[in-house]
Amino acid sequence: MNSTHQELWAQCCQFIKDNISPLQYDTWFRDITCERFDEEKRSLVLMVQSSFFVDQLEERFQTVVRAAVKKVFGEGVQIIYGYRTIGNDPSTATLQKSASPSPTILAQAKAQPANPFRQDNREDFDPQLNPRYTFENYCQSHSNKIARSIGEAIANNPSLKTFNPLFVFGPAGVGKTHLIQAIGIRIKERNPQARVLYVTARLFQSQYTAAAAKNINSFFHFYQSIDTLIIDDIQDLQNMPGTQNTFFHIFNHLRQHDRQIIMSSDRSPAEMEGFEERLLSRFKWGMQVELERPDIELRRDVLKLKAEQDGLSIPGEVAEFIASNVTNSVRELEGVMVSLMAHATVLNRDISLDLARRVMANAVKINRKQVNFEMVAEAVAEHFNMSPDLLYTKSRKREVSDARQIVMYLAKKIAHMPLTTIGHKIDRTHATVIYACSNIENRLATEKKLAEDLDAIEAAINSK
């Protein structure tokens, strides 16, 4: 390769090194080589160690790499990542490259899931880890502090076998999958050669069934070669004696050879049914740690992180409303945020308390307080800095008339009062109340300030 290209890539590396931590640079960039640069096609080929590196570079470092290449090589450069796939005979290694016309940084297509039926099980394989599930993206609070601390201890020092096996349990949506994958990602960051594999219990069972009909020895050899085995939803192996027996022997081999085993389940080993007692005793062998339902502190942090990742600006009262009502799982919180963003985009509206209520109406049971007419009237008067008594007068001043119509509208909407009752309260006819509610609804479609006033008044009522 032309030395000029090597020198240019060295300049890119220096730029990258100046903008990330030394550990990140040593892990992900130190061994990258520049295969070639095609001036005419404006394409740059970079060689990395494996498909896992491609995923990590695309997911976590795309911005800094793009900036470095643009600064050194110029505009419009297509970056192609390649890596070597080694088969049974190392001398037949071939170069795999991506080939997409996109002008942005491109990644080599992901490798296929690990094949346990190859004879040479020491070859590199895709660990099946989601690059988004890192410790950096994992919010911590009292409800998960112990589990996270243990997970980081394992990830930072895999030779420490105090927590082997690690059994993480808790209800759905509390972050079990994120935590156990974060351990695997951190281990791969610190030692890219480590053989880490994440697999669901269902996939493990399917692989076992296929292997039993072909060559079960290859299946055993593959799994016995793993350094860190992460199995999600282990409870799905219940009432499957053949698969359980196979996993029992793999478990014994890995632990005997000081390999790390990490499992997750929706219940503790003591509550699991349909498992052989000898296997349950292995689950209890090391460290059992529970992930509890997210507390209010964690729910707030998750919302803040999700908003930052999606580039959203979410008002404090909206975040507090969501965190107070979505209490079961982190997954549910993220789902609400996705829906909120979609609704705000489609309706071309800012994220507000009223919009959050609409989005959540069919998703969660909202803890509502009993609101009466007097509460509405006081909140409206306070918002517009006027005496509540004015709302009950015959005054036709615009500001008083508007405030009075808002009282009638909100009394119907959030106090769920009959129109006739609202009229009696404010000494107006049934027809007047109908007109007031219809007028406010029509104005909401075009008057952003009115929508903001209503959101603020509702927030004030709910905060009392």
Side-chain angles (χ1 to χ4, degrees):
M1 176 180 166
N2 193 309
S3 61
T4 302
H5 301 150
Q6 292 176 342
E7 292 171 358
L8 291 174
W9 174 242
Q11 294 177 33
C12 290
C13 289
Q14 186 59 52
F15 178 89
I16 294 169
K17 191 173 185 179
D18 292 339
N19 286 278
I20 63 176
S21 72
L23 177 60
Q24 289 176 322
Y25 180 82
D26 288 343
T27 300
W28 303 110
F29 292 94
R30 182 173 296 281
D31 295 326
I32 294 179
T33 59
C34 188
E35 183 78 6
R36 67 175 180 272
F37 176 65
D38 190 318
E39 180 70 38
E40 182 179 347
K41 295 182 178 180
R42 304 295 290 164
S43 63
L44 177 68
V45 178
L46 302 177
M47 297 299 298
V48 300
Q49 287 88 326
S50 68
S51 62
F52 180 73
F53 272 72
V54 175
D55 292 338
Q56 294 294 313
L57 292 171
E58 272 293 283
E59 182 72 22
R60 304 175 62 184
F61 302 105
Q62 184 179 123
T63 300
V64 69
V65 173
R66 181 186 291 115
V69 171
K70 179 179 178 181
K71 178 180 176 66
V72 177
F73 286 88
E75 295 276 1
V77 175
Q78 171 183 310
I79 298 181
I80 301 173
Y81 290 116
Y83 59 90
R84 296 186 183 278
T85 302
I86 302 175
N88 292 342
D89 181 0
S91 66
T92 63
T94 58
L95 181 63
Q96 307 289 325
K97 307 184 186 70
S98 60
S100 169
S102 171
T104 58
I105 296 180
L106 304 178
Q108 171 65 31
K110 285 188 177 181
Q112 293 299 312
N115 181 358
F117 309 124
R118 295 185 68 97
Q119 293 301 312
D120 180 9
N121 288 318
R122 291 309 301 180
E123 68 177 49
D124 189 26
F125 61 87
D126 189 339
Q128 299 297 297
L129 297 167
N130 187 332
R132 296 179 63 86
Y133 288 158
T134 64
F135 280 115
E136 289 75 15
N137 290 336
Y138 191 80
C139 297
Q140 176 178 303
S141 75
H142 177 75
S143 62
N144 63 13
K145 183 176 182 180
I146 295 176
R148 175 177 177 141
S149 297
I150 293 173
E152 288 193 292
I154 294 172
N156 294 332
N157 185 10
S159 62
L160 176 67
K161 301 305 179 185
T162 305
F163 308 117
N164 191 25
L166 173 64
F167 193 99
V168 180
F169 66 95
V174 295
K176 300 186 298 295
T177 297
H178 190 149
L179 176 63
I180 62 179
Q181 289 209 34
I183 298 172
I185 289 175
R186 178 69 61 81
I187 290 174
K188 289 290 286 186
E189 283 182 348
R190 292 177 175 271
N191 178 15
Q193 304 307 315
R195 292 174 62 79
V196 177
L197 177 66
Y198 166 86
V199 63
T200 64
R202 289 287 186 185
L203 180 56
F204 180 88
Q205 193 275 331
S206 297
Q207 290 177 342
Y208 163 74
T209 300
K214 295 180 180 180
N215 186 350
I216 195 65
N217 288 333
S218 294
F219 180 84
F220 273 111
H221 292 160
F222 172 79
Y223 273 96
Q224 289 174 348
S225 73
I226 302 299
D227 298 320
T228 299
L229 177 60
I230 305 171
I231 296 196
D232 208 354
D233 294 322
I234 195 71
Q235 76 278 353
D236 288 343
L237 295 186
Q238 65 180 355
N239 300 320
M240 296 181 179
T243 309
Q244 288 182 28
N245 182 61
T246 299
F247 181 66
F248 173 81
H249 291 295
I250 291 172
F251 182 107
N252 284 345
H253 176 90
L254 294 179
R255 196 175 189 284
Q256 182 179 351
H257 290 81
D258 286 332
R259 313 285 179 77
Q260 181 69 50
I261 306 165
I262 301 170
M263 297 168 284
S264 80
S265 172
D266 62 3
R267 69 207 74 165
S268 69
E271 299 172 317
M272 298 177 76
E273 299 178 352
F275 281 83
E276 297 181 17
E277 188 59 38
R278 62 175 184 169
L279 191 54
L280 289 177
S281 70
R282 264 69 179 174
F283 294 167
K284 302 173 185 177
W285 206 341
M287 180 70 192
Q288 303 169 57
V289 61
E290 181 178 9
L291 278 179
E292 303 172 359
R293 294 194 184 277
D295 55 27
I296 186 68
E297 176 188 354
L298 179 58
R299 299 199 296 272
R300 289 184 185 124
D301 289 345
V302 168
L303 288 173
K304 180 181 178 181
L305 177 63
K306 183 65 176 174
E308 290 175 351
Q309 291 176 338
D310 293 337
L312 295 177
S313 175
I314 178 169
E317 67 270 17
V318 176
E320 190 66 24
F321 173 73
I322 297 174
S324 298
N325 287 282
V326 184
T327 60
N328 288 331
S329 75
V330 172
R331 189 175 298 142
E332 194 174 17
L333 278 172
E334 293 177 339
V336 168
M337 287 295 290
V338 171
S339 297
L340 192 59
M341 179 174 61
H343 279 73
T345 302
V346 172
L347 299 176
N348 193 26
R349 286 187 57 183
D350 292 335
I351 292 178
S352 65
L353 190 59
D354 182 58
L355 186 60
R357 285 183 181 278
R358 293 184 187 184
V359 168
M360 294 170 58
N362 298 319
V364 296
K365 182 178 179 181
I366 299 175
N367 300 318
R368 302 183 183 273
K369 64 171 69 178
Q370 187 64 39
V371 178
N372 57 39
F373 186 87
E374 287 71 23
M375 292 171 63
V376 173
E378 289 178 5
V380 171
E382 183 178 353
H383 180 78
F384 291 110
N385 195 26
M386 65 176 63
S387 169
D389 294 339
L390 279 176
L391 300 172
Y392 300 91
T393 68
K394 301 294 184 179
S395 173
R396 293 182 178 274
K397 289 183 178 180
R398 178 62 184 270
E399 62 270 21
V400 177
S401 176
D402 281 355
R404 188 185 297 123
Q405 289 190 353
I406 289 174
V407 170
M408 289 185 271
Y409 172 80
L410 291 178
K412 174 178 177 289
K413 177 186 176 185
I414 62 177
H416 307 291
M417 294 175 62
L419 300 182
T420 303
T421 304
I422 295 173
H424 286 319
K425 286 283 187 180
I426 206 163
D427 195 20
R428 296 295 189 276
T429 66
H430 179 267
T432 300
V433 178
I434 293 176
Y435 171 78
C437 293
S438 176
N439 184 47
I440 294 296
E441 287 178 354
N442 291 335
R443 290 172 58 191
L444 277 174
T446 57
E447 298 183 28
K448 184 176 180 180
K449 178 64 168 59
L450 177 60
E452 293 173 348
D453 287 335
L454 289 175
D455 288 345
I457 293 168
E458 285 194 54
I461 293 171
N462 288 312
S463 66
K464 293 181 179 179

